[in-house]
Amino acid sequence: MTADIDSERPNSERSNSERSNSERPDSERPDTGATGGFEVFRDDRGIPHLRAGSALGLARAQGRNAALDRAWQLETERHRVLGTTAAYLGAEAVDWDRFARRARLADTARRCFDRLAPETAAWVGAYVDGVNEGLAEGAALTPEFAAAGLAPGRWEPWTPLGVWLSTHILFAGFPTKLWREEVVRRLGDDRATLFATDGPGTSGSNGWLLTGARTTTGAPVVAGDPHRFIEDPGVYQQIRLACPEFDVVGLAVPGVPGIAHFGHAGGVAWAITNAMADYQDLYREQVRRTADGGAEALGPDGWYRVHVHTETVEVAGGEPETVEIVETDRGPVIIGDVPADPDTDAAPDAPVISLRYPPRVTGDLGFDVLPALLRARTVADLDTALDGWVEPVNVVLAADTTGATLHRVAGHVPVRPYENRLRVVPAHDPAYAWREGGEPLPRTEVDTATGTAVMANERGLAAPLGIEFAPPHRADRIRELLGTAPGAAANSATGERKVTGPPWAAADMAVVHTDTHLASSRRLLSLLAWAPDLGPDAECLRDRLLRWDRHMDADSTDATLYARLRADVVHRLAGHPALRPVTGDADPWRSTAYPPLFRPWLAAVPRIGYALESLLTVGLLPYEDRLAMVAASAEAVAATHAEGLGPSAWGEVHRVSPWQALPDATPEEAWPGLAGDHDCVLSTSSVPGITDLFARGPAARYVWDLARREDSLWVVPFGASGVPGSAHHRDQTELWASGRLAPVVTDWNLLHRTERVTERVTEHRTEHRFEESTTMTAATTPGPDASTVPALRPAVHEQKVEGFGVVRLVPVVPADDAGLLHAWVTEERARFWGMADHTREQVQEIYEFVDSLPTHHAYLALRDGVPAALFQTYQPDADPVGEHYDVQPGDLGIHLLIAPAEGPVKGYTDALLTAFIGYVFSDPAHLRVVVEPDARNEKALARMVRVGFELGPEIEKPEKTARLAFLPRAALGLV
C-alpha cells in the first residue's frame, strides 16, 4: 500500500489518455446520473433528517443541507484546503495558508479523488452538486459573508476529500517530533520522551461498549464523546440519512458526505477514538539551488532534481506573499527554504524538513469506505468495510443487534524503523525509507467477564503503533464506573462516590460522560501532604486540598484552588535549572527555524503542564527539590488566598473558548463554564500554567442503543444550525454544558418536513423543483423578522427548573405558529382539546381571535429554546367558564397542552407546571388559579391534585363535561 503513486518524479507528465477525473471536462467526469428527488425533515431542535429515493439523491440532499445550514463553515473549510483564507481573514491566516500550499493538500485531494472507485466518485460528486446548489442561498442567510466581504465559491468534485485531509493533517501530531528534536538536542538522547503525554496538538476521545449482559434491554450500548478543538459552528453535524438502501443516524463532518466516525444504522452501531498511532514522518533534507533556478535534493543514490514552483498568497489588508513549493522523493517540504544562491549551503540552524504522509504516497484517503459504512448491517459488514480505512488511524468499537461486537484498530500505518516515529530522520539514508505494506492492525475481543470494552487513547490496543498516548486515568475511571451498576451515591463520612443500582440503560450513560474525578492530581497532592515547613496559611491550604474529593466540579472552589496550585508548580518547574535549556529565553517556541503554525507543539510551559504528573514522579528532579517546589507554590497560593482573593467556583473560570474563523462579539463571560479537566472523563482541557479556559473538549456526545434506536441520545456544543440568529444556532448549549443529552427522534411522524425537491428528467436536462414546506418554517428558517422564530421572541417569563432546563414563555404568533399548533391539537392524545378535526387555517383563526382579546392570552412554552407546550390564560369573568361558578377577585384561568416529549422524561409535565404556576403567581394580583380539564381526563386531574389543586364540581360546557379545580396562592405559602 505504500508504493509511490507515479513512478516518475513529482513533476512528471501524463498522457491525455491517463487524465484523471478531476482533470477532465465536466462531460467526461463520472456521471452522478439523475439522482432523484428528496425530502428534508427536521426535529424540534432543527436536526436534519434526509430521505431520498436513491443513495445518489441522498448524497445530493446532504450536500445541499450542509450548504444551507453551514455555508460559512463549508466555505471556510474550502479555503483552508486551497490555502486562501488570508485573502479574507487577513495576516493572521497566512501561516495556515503557507502550510496548506507547501503540504500540497489540494493536490493530494485531487490525486485521491482520481483513484476512487467510479461509484464512489459519483457519490461524492452528487454531494458536491448539492453543495453548489445550496451555497448561494445558504450564504445569503449567513452574516459572516458580508462581514468578511466574501462571496461563496464553487466546490470541485475533490473538495470533500480536501476537507477531510485538512481537518486531520495535524491529527497525529507530527510536529511533536520537532519538540523531541529540541529536547534531545538540549537535554540528551535519553530525554526524548520525557514530556510524553497527550500533548496540546493532538485529539482524543472516550468510547465504551456494554454488551447485552450489562444492559437493561439485553442489547448492547455504544457510547462516548470525541474530544477535539471546540469550533463554532461545531465540527460535527447531527444528521439522519435514509434511502431504500440504508437508514443511518450519526455525526457527520460538514463538507464530507456520509457518516464516518459515529453512526447507528439500525442493525449495527459504531464509534471511534484516536488510536494515537504515528503514521506521518518528517525527513531532514539536504537541498541546493541549481543554476537555472530549480532545486536538487540529496537521496540514497545522490543528488536528483525535485519539483519546484511558486504560488502567491493573497492577504486582506496586506501585501501578497510568494510561497515556493518544493517536493522531494520523500514528500513536500513544509519547513525551511532552498538557498537562493547555487553556491550557498543551507544554514545549519535552518533545517529543511519534508513531510511524508500516506495519502500523498498512495493516492488513497479511504473514501471508498464511507458508502460501505452506510450500507453495513452487521458487525461483520462494518469490519470488512474498515479494512480499507486510511486516516486518521482509529480504535473502533461496534456492536450489532445479534450481540456481536468489534474492537479493533483501523487505518494505515506505514512500515518503517522505530526511529521514524520518534524524531526527524535523514532523507538521504535508505534505512529510514518506508517499506511495502502496512503494519498489522491490532484487534481484540470484548471482555466477556465484564461485558465492557473501553477506549480512551491510552497505551492499550494500539500501543505497537505509537509513541505517546494519553495517561490511563480516563480509561481506568470509565472501567471503574462501568464495573458496577449505575446511580451515584456519596459516603457521608468520606465523600467518596460509589456507584449503585440496576443494570445500565442508555439514559444512564450521562453519569459516565460527566464524571469529573481527576486521578492525575494524586502525585501533586501526595507531595503537598509531605511538603516541609509550611506556614499557617499554607497548612490550611494543604488541609483543605487533602480533604477535597478530587472532583473538578463546576461549583467547586477547591477545584479552582487546586488548579492555582498546579499552575504555580508548572511555572516553578519551568524555572528549575534542570529544565532551563528548554524554557525561558531558550524555549523552542521562540525559535525562528520553524513556522509559527507549529508553536503550540514547541512551547515548553504547556508541555510541562500536561506532563506534570510524570515530571513530579520521574528522577529528573531530586525528591527534595520536588517537595520544596510544591511547598513554595503552596505558600504563594495561600498568600494570595489570605489577601482576600479567594478562588471562584471552577465553572466560573473554566469556560469554553471556541475557535471561530471570524470571531463574533460574544464576550468571554457569555460562553458557558463547565466542570471537568484534561484527565477527567469529562475532558475539558485547559492548559495548566497558561489558562483555565479550555478550547478542547467534548465536540459531541452520543449513546447508541441497539435495542431501540429511538432510545439513543446525542448532543453537540452549540446547535444544528451554523447561522447566527437561527433558533437552532446555540439551542443545545445549555444541554451540552449541563451534561444532558437529547433523544434521537426516528419516527418520521414526529418530524416536520421543511423542504421537498422533485426531479423531472427531460431529453436534454434534469430539472429540480424546490418546495418549501410551511410546517416548522418559523422554527427552522431564520429570517429578518425575529418574531417568526419562537426562541428569538421576548419572553414574558423565564424560569430555570432544576434537572429540567430553562422554561421561557413567549407569545403565540398565530400566522407563524399555526402549523406547529395544528400538529399538536390534532393528535389523538390531544382529543380533550376539542380541535381534532380542525384544519390549519381554522386553528390559525381561533388563535387570531384569542390574540385580539385583552382578557385572553396564548403562549408557547419553550424548554431550552424548543417548543414544549401551549399555555393559555384567561379572565374567568370574561369567559363562559365564569357562568358555572362564583368567580372570586384574583382568579385567573389557565389551559395547557403539553407537546410530545422527545422520549420519556420523568416529571416532564410537573416541571412545566412549576414554571406556569410561577408565572401566574409572579403577579401579586393573582390569588387563585382555575383549571377546568375534561372530567374524563383522569391523568390530568390526578396531576392537578398532586401539584396541590383542590377539586371542585363538574360543570357542563357545550363541548365537554369539565371538572373545576382551584389552586389558591396561599396553598403554596405565597404572600
Side-chain angles (χ1 to χ4, degrees), residues 176-197 418-419 421-423 467-468 607:
T176 297
K177 296 176 184 181
L178 303 176
W179 165 256
R180 294 195 202 108
E181 280 293 300
E182 295 300 320
V183 170
V184 166
R185 186 164 67 87
R186 300 155 188 248
L187 298 179
D189 288 348
D190 60 334
R191 299 300 191 190
T193 59
L194 176 65
F195 299 87
T197 186
Y418 174 83
E419 191 75 7
R421 300 182 192 171
L422 192 65
R423 298 177 55 183
I467 295 291
E468 296 190 21
R607 287 283 177 186

Side-chain angles (χ1 to χ4, degrees), residues 639-691:
T640 302
H641 183 56
E643 293 170 2
L645 301 175
S648 303
W650 180 233
E652 294 179 17
V653 297
H654 187 58
R655 296 182 179 275
V656 65
S657 180
W659 180 85
Q660 297 171 300
L662 194 67
D664 62 19
T666 304
E668 178 183 300
E669 59 270 16
W671 294 110
L674 267 70
D677 198 43
H678 186 69
D679 290 326
C680 298
V681 177
L682 179 51
S683 184
T684 49
S685 298
S686 56
V687 185
I690 300 294
T691 179

Side-chain angles (χ1 to χ4, degrees), residues 103 406 646 657 820 900 916:
L406 178 68
S657 180
L820 175 63
F916 299 155

Side-chain angles (χ1 to χ4, degrees), residues 98-122:
R98 292 179 64 88
F99 169 72
R101 307 282 188 110
R102 299 186 77 180
R104 310 203 72 182
L105 298 185
D107 186 67
T108 303
R110 291 187 192 95
R111 289 185 174 195
C112 293
F113 179 80
D114 292 344
R115 288 159 176 80
L116 288 177
E119 57 273 18
T120 305

